[in-house]
């Protein structure tokens, strides 16, 4: 079932947690709310769940206005960051909770709990208590509990935040598969772009209580709407330069940017991702910067090279395949030329 | 409470680490301060809130506030002049006040020395029978004061185990001040120790170990490191101990023999005046005791804040020491 | 921490030595005297005292009143703790502070003032006595004054547990469709049970031994409003030390059992917290 958030605002004292936010979550999709801490993503999730009341705006679910409904009436599954399991209840009682408070017959409850525990791969752990489970197991109990009453929507707050790296990796894959199996509309909050890209169909990038961009992971990564999104989604090299009539100039480089057709010169920031910077031994054509290799890290799936631009003294991070590195035989102290294969130019607004 | 004590004795780094984490979480939570009040899922409907708050206030009013007000109203029923006269002019009442102060002072001093020693041994050392010792210290809390008094009568009374010997040597314990002190010390026995054990455990032994490494002697460590660290907790224990010592009735009643002008403490004086139907005089003495109780409460609230701060500082410095 | 590590600090034997010396002198020897004296009675003497009609009535009253008062304290204590932790209202700090008054106020004063409040011309008696509610010199009065003396125990054991509850757990229950009442009964209350039981046991222990406050309000009528501690004092005043000791031993054993129970409860609640 789809969720539509319209112009929702929320303040905590003087702090604007959300500022006229609108988000569409299509039915059956898996959407990530991505942003740094304090961006309002968790508050938005809590407002959708009904745990927080919006100051302004509306929340709709499958076309129905649910803005005023209490959390229990919304029938949404919510998975808390620290799971919030009922510690004096066994796994079975935790998962059965939503069914018992609805007064379902005990026989059907047992059956449903068994199904759910099978779904989250916790068969046989019915009698355990939360304190006897590992972090990953607790996470899955929380998920099963949230799914018990067949919620219209599943909401997850930093679902992998409290787990260690390896378990996290496994659970990501597993959540994706689970979603593909049961197809419930899901919305999760994360501050980890890798996690969002790996799991979600759609990513909503948030900052300071606003939505900066919405799109598929590829769209957002390839065509960031602004400098913040560009900067937030992975490492980036920034050049400060000027734009005029569709061309950006920085140092001795020029780069076409047809979207900025200003008559007069304006200052701009040019963003280049490390893998989009090219290194060569010789100057190529019009646009390349002379630089010196500072440091080469060849360990890992890609090689990382740190160079110092000769005239501006700027440090640049560059990534290339290990084959290419072997070809170039780069070593610290070598003189090289650097040029961008691709760049993003942002004029005015946000700058680092 | 004692379990709390033992858990804190587990390896320190864990505790220090968690403090650090909490600290970080507190910092992270700051921009969202005030959220707690806005949690809709954890909030009661306003009607329930109102009804429960009102009931709670009513209960406290009937159980506590009205009785306290009544003490002063009854004491002052014949005007302040009579009130003052009731307190000061009666030689037996005057004697009761002095006796109460004396007995309380001695009992508190005795229990402070014991409390510090017991807290130190329980909070700083592991030895067989430690848990048993902690339980034994609690005994006077659960024993009826009357039974406590009886025990001393059995020991020092004329038919008692030491009664004959004491009489031969002309020493009066029962129906005299020493008996009052013993009985009072018994019932107030656990107060200081019970307050100090958690305080000492929360502060931890690091500073004392550091002083030891720097070459301080045992007494130097005690006076310069231990005592300054526990002073607020100690004062807190002293205040509670003192309140109970001044107010003790049952145990003292049994060992006192109830001799006016000799072994009547203030609570006993209250009872005697009440039996003699001198209601205003009885309430006058009671009002002084009530006033003491109110002062005790005020000090207690203030000290609770101090001790909490001291413990927080203690664990914070431990956390910093970790890094 | 190993034993060796713990003994690094100096003064172990002095501290332990003094602790044991003082404990033995002030607590163990007197209590021992009570047991030694009791053991000098024959079983028939002991039984005749403890099982007399007067003693049975006194015990029944003492246990009954202390039990009822402790139970009422559980209800009141839970309510007070809930309100003090969850809600904001004017002068809350002062209401919080006066919960401890029964610990600071001498029991004799409590007894005195409760007696005078509920007599027919007292502040509350004026209203209650015409309604047929007589508290002064009745069993009701004994229960009332025991509720007063036991008031802080449940509040102060439940309060910290409530404060440490994670609000997310309640939100989880709410989002799973539980009503507020269901959340309280199924999620919060089970977590409070150990603290409530501990508070109950503490209030009960206090109520069993209470003497100072009760003698004022009970009237001490044989077989009706005479509590066990009063009976012990009465026997002492008749110099019947043996009978007093026999009566005391029963109370003492119950106190010690309760103390052990409280220790177990505290351990249990720590494990669940």
């Amino acid at each position: 079932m789809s969720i539509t958030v319209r112009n929702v605002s929320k303040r905590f004292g003087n702090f604007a947690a959300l500022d006229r936010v609108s988000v569409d979550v299509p039915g059956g999709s898996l959407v990530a709310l991505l942003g740094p801490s304090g961006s309002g993503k968790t508050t938005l999730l809590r407002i959708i769940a009904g745990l927080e009341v919006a100051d302004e705006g509306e929340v709709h679910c499958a076309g129905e206005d649910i803005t005023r409904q209490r959390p229990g009436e919304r029938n949404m599954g919510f998975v808390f960051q620290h799971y919030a399991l009922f510690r004096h209840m066994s796994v079975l009682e935790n998962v059965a909770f939503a069914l018992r408070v609805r007064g379902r017959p005990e026989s059907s409850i047992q059956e449903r709990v068994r199904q759910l525990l099978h779904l989250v791969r916790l068969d046989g752990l019915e009698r355990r208590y939360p304190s006897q489970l590992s972090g990953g197991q607790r996470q899955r109990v929380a998920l099963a509990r949230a799914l018990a009453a067949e919620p219209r929507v599943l909401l997850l707050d930093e679902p992998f935040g409290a787990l260690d790296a390896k378990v996290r990796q496994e659970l990501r894959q597993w959540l994706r598969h689970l979603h593909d199996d049961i197809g419930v509309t899901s919305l999760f909050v994360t501050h980890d772009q890798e996690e969002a890209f790996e799991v979600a169909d759609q990513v909503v990038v948030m900052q300071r209580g606003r939505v900066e961009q919405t799109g598929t992971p590829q769209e957002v990564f390839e065509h960031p709407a602004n400098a913040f999104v560009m900067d937030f989604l992975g490492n980036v090299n920034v050049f400060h330069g000027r734009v005029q009539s569709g061309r950006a100039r920085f140092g001795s480089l020029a780069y076409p940017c047809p979207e900025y057709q200003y008559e007069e010169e304006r200052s701009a920031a040019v963003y280049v991702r490390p893998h989009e910077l090219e290194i060569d031994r010789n100057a190529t054509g019009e646009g390349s910067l002379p630089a010196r290799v500072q440091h080469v890290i060849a360990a890992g799936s890609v090689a990382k090279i740190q160079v110092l631009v000769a005239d501006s003294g700027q440090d640049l991070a560059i990534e290339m395949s290990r084959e290419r590195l072997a070809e170039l035989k780069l070593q610290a102290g070598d003189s090289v030329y650097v040029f961008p294969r691709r760049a993003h130019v942002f004029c005015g607004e946000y700058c680092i | 409470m004692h379990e709390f004590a033992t858990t804190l004795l587990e390896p320190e780094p864990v505790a220090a680490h968690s403090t650090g984490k909490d600290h970080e979480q507190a910092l992270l939570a700051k921009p969202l301060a005030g959220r707690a009040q806005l949690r809709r899922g954890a909030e009661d409907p306003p009607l329930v809130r109102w009804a429960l708050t009102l009931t709670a206030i009513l209960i406290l009013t009937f159980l506590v506030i009205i009785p306290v007000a009544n003490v002063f109203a009854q004491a002052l029923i014949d005007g302040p002049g009579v009130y003052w006269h009731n307190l000061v002019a009666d030689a037996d009442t005057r004697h009761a006040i002095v006796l109460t102060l004396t007995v309380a002072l001695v009992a508190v001093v005795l229990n402070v020395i014991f409390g510090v020693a017991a807290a130190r041994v329980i909070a700083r050392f592991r030895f067989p029978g430690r848990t048993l010792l902690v339980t034994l210290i609690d005994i006077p809390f659960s024993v009826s004061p009357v039974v406590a008094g009886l025990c001393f009568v059995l020991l020092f009374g004329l038919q008692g185990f030491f009664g004959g010997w004491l009489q031969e040597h002309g020493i009066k314990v029962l129906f005299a001040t020493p008996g009052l002190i013993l009985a009072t010390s018994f019932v107030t026995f656990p107060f200081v120790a019970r307050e100090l054990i958690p305080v000492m455990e929360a502060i931890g032994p690091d500073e004392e170990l550091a002083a030891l490494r720097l070459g301080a002697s045992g007494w130097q460590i005690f006076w310069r490191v231990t005592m300054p660290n526990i002073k607020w907790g100690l004062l807190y224990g002293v205040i509670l101990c003192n309140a109970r010592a001044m107010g003790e009735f049952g145990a003292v009643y049994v060992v006192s023999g109830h001799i006016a002008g000799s072994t009547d403490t203030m609570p006993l004086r209250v009872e005697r005046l009440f039996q003699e139907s001198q209601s205003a005089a009885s309430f006058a003495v009671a009002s002084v005791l009530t006033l003491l109780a109110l002062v005790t409460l005020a000090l207690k609230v203030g000290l609770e804040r101090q001790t909490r701060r001291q413990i927080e500082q203690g664990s914070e410095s431990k956390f910093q020491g970790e890094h | 921490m190993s034993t060796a590590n713990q003994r690094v600090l100096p003064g172990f034997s002095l501290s332990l030595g003094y602790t044991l010396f003082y404990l033995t002198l002030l607590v163990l020897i007197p209590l021992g005297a009570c047991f030694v004296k009791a053991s000098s009675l024959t079983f028939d003497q002991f039984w005749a005292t403890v099982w007399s009609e007067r003693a049975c009535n006194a015990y029944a009253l003492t246990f009954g009143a202390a039990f009822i008062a402790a139970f009422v304290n559980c209800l009141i204590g839970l309510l007070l703790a809930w309100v003090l932790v969850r809600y904001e209202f004017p002068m809350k700090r002062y209401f919080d502070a006066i919960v401890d008054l029964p610990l600071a106020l001498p029991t004799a004063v409590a007894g005195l003032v409760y007696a005078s409040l509920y007599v027919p011309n007292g502040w509350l008696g004026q209203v209650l006595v015409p309604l047929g509610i007589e508290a002064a010199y009745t069993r009701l009065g004994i229960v009332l004054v025991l509720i007063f003396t036991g008031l802080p125990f449940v509040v102060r054991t439940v309060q910290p547990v409530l404060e440490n509850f994670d609000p997310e757990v309640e939100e989880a229950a709410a989002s799973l469709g539980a009503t507020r009442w269901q959340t309280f009964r199924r999620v919060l209350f089970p977590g409070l049970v150990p603290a409530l039981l501990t508070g109950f046991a503490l209030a009960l222990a206090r109520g069993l031994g209470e003497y100072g406050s009760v003698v004022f309000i009970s009237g001490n009528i044989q077989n009706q409003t005479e509590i066990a501690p009063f009976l012990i004092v009465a026997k002492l005043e008749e110099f019947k030390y043996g009978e007093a000791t026999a009566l005391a031993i029963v109370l003492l054993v119950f106190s010690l059992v309760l103390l052990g129970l409280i220790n177990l409860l505290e351990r249990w609640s720590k494990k669940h917290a």
Side-chain angles (χ1 to χ4, degrees):
Chain A
M1 260 161 264
S2 67
I3 305 172
T4 311
V5 175
R6 282 278 157 270
N7 287 319
V8 162
S9 295
K10 177 76 185 172
R11 304 185 70 83
F12 294 111
N14 289 325
F15 178 75
L18 293 176
D19 184 12
R20 280 164 288 142
V21 167
S22 296
V23 173
D24 275 303
V25 181
S29 63
L30 177 52
V31 175
L33 290 175
L34 176 63
S37 63
S39 61
K41 53 195 193 306
T42 296
T43 307
L44 180 59
L45 198 72
R46 290 171 59 85
I47 285 176
I48 293 172
L51 298 173
E52 218 93 61
V53 188
D55 299 337
E56 283 167 43
E58 291 175 357
V59 182
H60 292 256
C61 182
E64 180 196 357
D65 185 352
I66 57 165
T67 318
R68 300 284 144 218
Q69 280 183 358
R70 294 194 65 81
E73 300 166 334
R74 302 189 179 199
N75 195 14
M76 292 181 174
F78 197 104
V79 178
F80 291 82
Q81 186 179 359
H82 300 287
Y83 322 133
L85 294 178
F86 307 132
R87 67 175 108 199
H88 62 274
M89 294 187 198
S90 65
V91 167
L92 188 146
E93 290 166 317
N94 263 286
V95 178
F97 185 84
L99 304 169
R100 291 201 171 138
V101 296
R102 283 171 172 75
R104 300 270 171 85
E106 195 58 27
S107 58
S108 78
I109 291 178
Q110 298 287 340
E111 181 53 35
R112 174 85 181 131
V113 171
R114 203 167 315 119
Q115 270 176 16
L116 282 162
L117 289 181
H118 181 68
L119 184 71
V120 299
R121 291 193 240 140
L122 289 174
D123 309 79
L125 296 186
E126 289 90 340
R127 309 250 156 261
R128 296 274 189 93
Y129 283 83
S131 59
Q132 300 167 310
L133 300 176
S134 72
Q137 288 173 328
R138 288 181 206 178
Q139 164 72 298
R140 283 180 280 156
V141 173
L143 200 59
R145 184 178 69 174
L147 288 171
E150 282 155 358
R152 302 192 284 184
V153 178
L154 184 62
L155 306 169
L156 306 103
D157 185 8
E158 295 273 3
F160 313 114
L163 301 169
D164 57 51
K166 194 172 174 326
V167 183
R168 210 169 163 139
Q169 191 62 39
E170 286 170 14
L171 273 177
R172 272 184 209 169
Q173 297 298 329
W174 176 78
L175 179 68
R176 182 66 237 184
H177 291 311
L178 184 78
H179 179 264
D180 294 342
D181 286 349
I182 58 177
V184 61
T185 311
S186 307
L187 186 59
F188 74 100
V189 158
T190 179
H191 63 266
D192 181 345
Q193 39 100 11
E194 218 178 287
E195 191 169 289
F197 288 172
E198 202 173 306
V199 181
D201 303 323
Q202 288 249 352
V203 177
V204 177
V205 185
M206 294 185 68
Q207 194 221 175
R208 294 189 197 151
R210 290 167 178 273
V211 172
E212 298 286 356
Q213 190 173 6
T214 307
T216 64
Q218 200 186 352
E219 277 166 11
V220 173
F221 190 75
E222 295 290 328
H223 306 287
N226 55 37
F228 168 78
V229 178
M230 178 80 199
D231 184 35
F232 187 68
L233 304 179
N235 289 328
V236 70
N237 296 297
V238 189
F239 299 94
H240 293 283
R242 317 196 71 77
V243 287
Q244 191 183 22
S245 11
R247 284 187 87 71
R249 295 174 185 286
F250 48 105
S252 57
L253 291 178
Y255 190 83
C257 52
E259 66 271 34
Y260 296 115
Q261 292 293 350
Y262 302 121
E263 285 294 318
E264 78 282 20
E265 255 192 2
R266 292 199 183 182
S267 67
V270 180
Y271 288 73
V272 185
R273 295 217 181 273
H275 69 275
E276 290 170 340
L277 272 176
E278 190 69 51
I279 294 188
D280 215 330
R281 287 278 183 186
N282 308 304
T284 45
E286 55 162 301
S288 61
L289 296 166
R292 183 175 296 275
V293 175
Q294 297 284 92
H295 199 55
V296 178
I297 305 166
S301 53
V302 292
K304 294 176 179 172
I305 296 113
Q306 200 81 39
V307 303
L308 188 71
V309 178
D311 43 353
S312 65
Q314 188 180 5
D315 272 317
L316 297 178
I318 300 170
E319 285 175 13
M320 63 175 66
S321 70
R322 301 187 54 171
E323 291 73 30
R324 175 79 181 135
L325 179 70
E327 214 174 280
L328 286 169
K329 298 194 186 70
L330 289 179
Q331 285 195 330
D334 289 358
S335 288
V336 291
Y337 292 88
V338 176
F339 60 95
R341 263 180 286 130
R342 191 155 171 256
H344 299 266
V345 182
F346 298 105
C347 195
E349 40 144 358
Y350 175 94
C351 281
I352 318 176
Chain B
M1 172 176 183
H2 305 305
E3 260 324 283
F4 164 71
T6 23
T7 29
L8 277 175
L9 262 185
E10 298 303 316
E12 300 299 349
V14 178
H17 193 74
S18 68
T19 322
K21 240 199 236 151
D22 292 346
H23 196 63
E24 277 166 39
Q25 273 170 1
L27 284 178
L28 280 178
K30 241 178 204 153
L32 295 180
R35 173 187 274 190
Q37 293 156 23
L38 296 156
R39 285 178 184 268
R40 195 192 189 186
E43 215 177 58
D44 299 331
L47 194 69
V48 174
R49 232 163 35 220
W50 270 97
L52 293 183
T53 309
L54 213 66
T55 318
I57 290 178
L58 272 177
I59 288 173
L60 280 178
T61 307
F62 276 93
L63 279 182
V64 182
I65 297 174
I66 289 182
V68 168
N70 191 258
V71 170
F72 291 104
Q74 300 249 30
L76 292 163
I77 206 162
D78 300 320
V82 179
Y83 174 70
W84 188 246
H85 185 264
N86 277 334
L87 275 183
V88 180
D90 188 323
D92 288 349
T93 300
R94 272 206 313 269
H95 183 270
I97 294 174
V98 175
L99 182 64
T100 303
L101 293 176
T102 318
V103 168
L105 179 73
V106 179
V108 167
V109 169
L110 288 175
N111 283 335
V112 163
I113 299 172
F114 162 74
V116 172
R120 211 175 115 74
V121 89
I122 286 164
R124 290 289 179 266
F125 301 99
R126 291 282 201 172
F127 53 93
R130 185 175 161 277
T131 324
L132 179 68
L133 180 60
V134 172
T135 312
L136 287 178
I137 289 177
D138 268 351
I139 285 182
F141 267 160
S142 57
V143 170
S144 171
V146 168
V147 176
L150 170 78
C151 290
F152 288 104
V153 172
L154 292 178
L155 278 179
F156 303 116
L158 266 185
Q159 307 172 20
F161 297 98
F162 304 118
W165 185 86
L166 286 172
Q167 204 183 22
E168 275 170 33
H169 292 77
I171 306 168
K172 272 203 88 158
V173 175
L174 219 55
F175 311 135
T177 313
L180 298 179
I181 291 171
L182 281 174
T184 306
S185 303
F186 180 96
V187 291
T188 57
F189 179 82
F191 277 100
V192 180
R194 269 199 90 147
E195 284 313 318
L196 282 186
I197 292 168
V199 171
M200 280 185 94
E201 268 168 0
I203 290 171
D206 295 5
E207 286 182 38
E208 284 155 40
L209 288 168
L212 185 71
R213 248 172 263 139
L214 293 171
S217 73
W219 285 111
Q220 279 173 328
I221 295 174
F222 177 74
W223 285 113
R224 302 208 183 153
V225 182
T226 313
M227 282 305 266
N229 267 339
I230 60 169
K231 62 178 177 229
W232 296 117
L234 182 62
L235 194 54
Y236 185 84
V238 164
I239 283 169
L240 293 186
C241 181
N242 178 59
R244 182 69 196 267
M246 288 195 177
E248 179 46 36
F249 184 81
V252 171
Y253 185 93
V254 173
V255 298
S256 77
H258 229 42
I259 308 160
S262 168
T263 60
D264 262 359
T265 61
M266 278 160 81
L268 297 181
R269 188 80 195 135
V270 168
E271 200 256 0
R272 177 183 294 272
L273 290 168
F274 175 74
Q275 298 295 354
E276 291 171 358
S277 300
Q278 299 189 43
S279 168
S282 169
F283 272 101
V285 181
S287 75
V288 177
L289 289 168
T290 309
L291 218 53
L292 278 171
L294 291 175
V295 171
T296 302
L297 275 194
L299 288 174
K300 181 173 172 293
V301 171
L303 278 174
E304 262 163 357
R305 218 166 293 151
Q306 281 286 355
T307 358
R308 211 174 305 135
R309 201 174 302 153
Q310 192 164 29
I311 290 173
E312 275 162 17
Q313 276 169 3
S315 47
E316 213 161 86
S317 67
K318 215 160 42 188
F319 168 59
Q320 281 156 3
E322 271 266 298
H323 289 257
Chain C
M1 249 176 253
S2 68
T3 317
N5 185 13
Q6 277 294 299
R7 296 275 169 84
V8 168
L9 283 170
F12 172 71
S13 15
L14 179 67
S15 303
L16 184 65
Y18 184 75
T19 303
L20 291 180
F21 168 74
Y22 189 74
L23 177 76
T24 309
L25 204 67
L26 199 64
V27 178
L28 299 184
I29 290 182
L31 289 180
C34 197
F35 281 101
V36 170
K37 177 75 185 174
S39 67
S40 71
L41 301 171
T42 67
F43 181 78
D44 290 338
Q45 282 174 315
F46 177 80
W47 195 248
T49 312
V50 171
W51 207 246
S52 68
E53 194 200 349
R54 190 178 172 190
C56 284
N57 282 326
Y59 282 131
L61 177 62
T62 303
F63 285 103
F67 193 89
I68 294 170
F71 181 75
V72 175
N73 272 324
C74 275
L75 302 179
I76 293 179
L78 180 60
L79 172 73
L80 287 177
W82 182 269
V83 169
L84 289 173
V85 171
R86 294 299 176 108
Y87 307 150
E88 289 302 324
F89 54 94
M91 306 217 292
K92 177 171 138 170
R93 276 179 45 210
Y94 298 97
F95 282 108
D96 193 1
I98 61 167
V99 168
D100 282 329
L101 190 84
L103 287 181
L105 192 73
T107 51
V109 177
L112 175 74
V113 70
Y114 265 68
S116 85
L117 277 174
Y118 290 96
V119 292
N121 60 354
W123 282 9
L124 300 174
Q126 284 170 7
V127 183
L128 295 176
V129 173
L131 295 173
I133 304 171
E134 289 190 49
Y137 312 119
T138 64
R139 294 177 171 195
L140 176 64
I142 299 176
V143 173
L144 263 175
V145 82
L146 291 183
I147 292 173
F148 173 81
T149 51
L151 179 72
F153 295 109
V154 178
V155 182
R156 295 303 182 220
T157 49
V158 171
Q159 224 173 358
V161 181
L162 262 181
E163 272 165 5
N164 288 331
F165 268 143
D166 180 3
E168 280 195 353
V169 170
E170 283 167 72
E171 290 180 341
S175 80
L176 290 169
T179 61
R180 213 41 211 141
W181 174 244
Q182 282 174 321
T183 304
F184 176 77
R185 205 172 54 83
R186 289 170 181 257
V187 177
L188 296 178
F189 188 74
L192 292 175
V193 168
L196 274 172
L197 283 178
T198 310
F200 176 83
L202 287 169
L204 184 66
R206 179 70 199 262
L208 285 183
E210 188 51 41
Y211 174 72
S213 54
V214 179
V215 286
F216 284 88
I217 201 169
S218 70
N220 308 313
I221 306 157
Q222 255 187 50
N223 295 325
Q224 280 184 36
T225 60
E226 187 177 64
I227 54 163
F230 182 86
L231 188 56
I232 296 172
V233 173
K235 294 288 176 198
L236 268 179
E237 282 173 347
E238 296 165 24
F239 301 105
K240 292 176 178 164
Y241 289 181
E243 290 183 30
T245 310
L247 292 165
I249 282 293
V250 175
L251 271 190
L252 190 55
V253 167
F254 265 97
S255 316
L256 296 181
V257 169
L258 262 180
L259 179 66
L261 205 67
I262 291 166
N263 263 296
L264 285 179
L265 276 171
E266 281 179 344
R267 211 160 295 182
W268 181 46
S269 54
K270 280 292 161 314
K271 217 168 69 186
H272 281 244

